[in-house]
Amino acid sequence: MIVPVHRAADLANIRRNLEAQTWPDIEAILIPNGDLAGSSTTQEALGDLPYVRILSAQAGTIGSYLNHGLDAATGTWIMRFDSDDTYLPDYIVNTLCLLSASGADLTYKPAMFMHMQALDLVLLQSEADAFLPRIGGSGATQAFRRDALEGLRYDERMVRSEDAQFARALVRAGGKIITAPPFDFVVTRHADKSRHTWHLGDFNLYGHRSFVGGGSVIPALGMPIFQPQAEP
């Protein structure tokens, strides 16, 4: 997985997400930027994990950091991990099972659970259907086959929505997308809104959403291991 990070406060969360995963063979490429660029902070926090690689990068956009990670990645599958969200233990397992069983080249989640930290409430931000061949979803959940890349890059000129551009480019190149269900992943809506690159107010996020419960429900939002059914 590729993990750009620019806040020291997120390093402990990255460690929790990585150590929780049940998939046995991972490669985590961290790309410190912003205040973390050029410092030893990331190495001190995560350098003891044997599957972590920490890369230096020139200051740039999220697209440039992701491309830097793509160039360094060695695995068959590539995933994005956001530094401040929650990836439950079977996130990688279920994502890879979905890609493998469907034959799709890329997946991501159009519907997401969100933890509103200021209120300690969890809501389902959207009720978009899963298992559809559509573009649109959270870039933090984008995962794809390495062999689907073939010249594809994130647009380094974009400051946001680079994930949608990447998905559209993949479809134009003949790739197949499948949407994933919302489970195993929770977006964190920080009490300190300045930590986000998106700036919708809480009121805008509440409209027509489904409330799930308090923050204590988050561990229960994991999905059982995905078991594709054989054709009759």
Side-chain angles (χ1 to χ4, degrees):
M1 68 277 295
I2 302 172
V3 194
V5 55
H6 65 276
R7 288 182 296 261
D10 291 336
L11 293 172
N13 185 65
I14 293 172
R15 188 181 191 99
R16 281 192 296 271
N17 284 330
L18 294 178
E19 292 185 324
Q21 296 305 307
T22 57
W23 184 261
D25 184 18
I26 63 176
E27 173 187 57
I29 298 175
L30 272 67
I31 306 171
N33 56 85
D35 292 342
L36 290 175
S39 79
S40 61
T41 305
T42 306
Q43 177 66 37
E44 293 166 359
L46 294 161
D48 62 307
L49 298 177
Y51 45 79
V52 164
R53 297 168 59 198
I54 300 171
L55 306 183
S56 59
Q58 298 283 336
T61 62
I62 184 65
S64 66
Y65 301 138
L66 292 169
N67 286 336
H68 191 40
L70 289 179
D71 292 338
T74 62
T76 303
W77 310 92
I78 295 176
M79 297 183 174
R80 290 180 55 175
F81 264 45
D82 266 15
S83 60
D84 59 348
D85 295 326
T86 297
Y87 297 82
L88 294 172
D90 292 323
Y91 175 84
I92 295 177
V93 173
N94 281 324
T95 300
L96 297 189
C97 284
L98 175 59
L99 282 169
S100 181
S102 66
D105 300 297
L106 180 147
T107 186
Y108 55 170
K109 297 178 183 293
M112 296 158 286
F113 294 104
M114 177 175 287
H115 182 210
M116 316 296 291
Q117 279 192 339
L119 302 173
D120 193 29
L121 290 176
V122 175
L123 56 85
L124 181 59
Q125 191 190 3
S126 166
E127 296 181 359
D129 291 334
F131 312 117
L132 295 178
R134 52 162 282 190
I135 295 174
S138 169
T141 65
Q142 207 166 52
F144 46 90
R145 298 173 183 269
R146 183 179 182 82
D147 60 10
L149 289 176
E150 198 56 45
L152 295 180
R153 308 285 285 174
Y154 287 97
D155 191 330
E156 299 186 5
R157 300 165 297 177
M158 302 179 72
V159 294
R160 56 178 60 89
S161 300
E162 73 292 328
D163 52 288
Q165 171 273 332
F166 185 86
R168 286 193 291 267
L170 183 140
V171 170
R172 287 195 298 269
K176 176 183 175 183
I177 291 177
I178 189 168
T179 56
F183 304 100
D184 298 315
F185 172 73
V186 182
V187 175
T188 300
R189 175 68 168 170
H190 293 284
D192 176 7
K193 309 299 188 301
S194 67
R195 295 184 61 180
H196 296 291
T197 56
W198 39 280
H199 300 292
L200 282 176
D202 288 344
F203 179 80
N204 300 92
L205 291 171
Y206 290 158
H208 305 290
R209 311 305 189 219
S210 300
F211 286 90
V212 177
S216 61
V217 307
I218 290 175
L221 299 178
M223 188 173 72
I225 300 297
F226 181 74
Q227 297 288 349
Q229 298 297 311
E231 292 289 337

